[in-house]
Amino acid sequence: VLFCHPAILGDEFTGSYSEVDSAIEQHLLGETTNNPSEATTLLLIRAIEYSQLPTDAAAAAEEPEIDVRAKRRQNFMKILSNVISHPENDVYRRLRVSNRFVADLLAVKYAEDFFKVCGFVRTSLPLAQKPSNVETAPPETDEGSGPVEPVTEDFLILPASSMEGLTHLKSMLELLETAQPIVPLVFRDTTVLQVGILKRSPYIFI
């Protein structure tokens, strides 16, 4: 069986599903230099379609695989939508990396690249920040090793958005909402014959 994608790879390129799929991915990666917003969003959409079910067996059993992937895509959209609707609210511009909801999204390939293109910056912050007017004891030290480094936690933080920044987020959200995954297509010269319903495989590729 041969596959292709003329719109992305031209009319002459054909190959196995994995060969064409890899070529599509490489093409989109190349486009991240010229058009990072669109290319990275399309890479993310593809990655969501290929993403794995939750490792938690109970959670995985609750929803079909297709629903898990659809929900992940909706969650990416929700993050952008919240920022666009409430641009001055720090709550929506700060994502705790260790949060279960955020961690599930970051497990998707190209997710962090997507957030970076959106403007989010990975930042390490102290676990507990006391008000500046509260006196605190000097940091404990290990004998001979100096002050103990404070415990930090990683966040993805989006700086305060300008109008230009919001327009950028809106365009990425629109693409995330409307674009279809770019995947290999069956080569047009491959004949597909449907056979009897009782056969083991409903299709034969020639």
Side-chain angles (χ1 to χ4, degrees):
V1 182
L2 292 178
F3 293 85
C4 63
H5 202 297
I8 297 293
L9 306 174
D11 294 329
E12 302 302 320
F13 189 97
T14 61
S16 67
Y17 189 97
S18 61
E19 289 170 339
V20 174
D21 192 60
S22 178
I24 291 171
E25 182 175 20
Q26 291 304 311
H27 174 84
L28 291 175
L29 284 170
E31 286 297 310
T32 57
T33 301
N34 302 319
N35 190 349
S37 299
E38 183 173 333
T40 305
T41 304
L42 292 174
L43 282 166
L44 176 69
I45 291 171
R46 278 171 41 88
I48 292 171
E49 290 301 304
Y50 294 145
S51 62
Q52 301 298 313
L53 288 171
T55 54
D56 182 344
E62 289 179 2
E63 295 181 281
E65 191 169 351
I66 189 170
D67 290 343
V68 170
R69 290 168 175 165
K71 182 172 289 186
R72 282 182 180 140
R73 186 164 173 174
Q74 290 168 2
N75 287 339
F76 278 105
M77 292 188 288
K78 185 65 174 177
I79 288 173
L80 297 193
S81 179
N82 283 339
V83 173
I84 293 168
S85 300
H86 310 280
E88 303 304 322
N89 193 328
D90 290 346
V91 170
Y92 298 120
R93 293 190 288 106
R94 178 178 295 193
L95 308 176
R96 179 182 283 107
V97 171
S98 62
N99 177 278
R100 182 178 177 182
F101 164 82
V102 176
D104 179 70
L105 299 185
L106 289 176
V108 177
K109 190 176 182 180
Y110 301 116
E112 190 152 353
D113 296 303
F114 173 79
F115 284 124
K116 182 177 180 180
V117 172
C118 288
F120 285 87
V121 178
R122 182 181 277 260
T123 306
S124 295
L125 298 176
L127 274 178
Q129 291 182 320
K130 293 184 179 296
S132 58
N133 61 342
V134 176
E135 292 187 7
T136 58
E140 296 181 3
T141 61
D142 290 331
E143 187 175 347
S145 63
V148 176
E149 290 294 326
V151 179
T152 61
E153 187 171 15
D154 279 1
F155 290 81
L156 292 175
I157 298 177
L158 182 68
S161 301
S162 62
M163 288 304 297
E164 182 180 352
L166 289 177
T167 300
H168 170 65
L169 288 180
K170 288 176 182 177
S171 66
M172 294 190 71
L173 175 59
E174 182 179 2
L175 183 60
L176 193 56
E177 290 174 333
T178 59
Q180 296 300 313
I182 300 176
V183 296
L185 307 172
V186 176
F187 184 50
R188 61 178 177 270
D189 289 342
T190 300
T191 303
V192 182
L193 301 177
Q194 188 167 359
V195 297
I197 194 170
L198 297 180
K199 298 291 185 181
R200 177 174 297 180
S201 175
Y203 298 99
I204 296 177
F205 294 93
I206 300 176

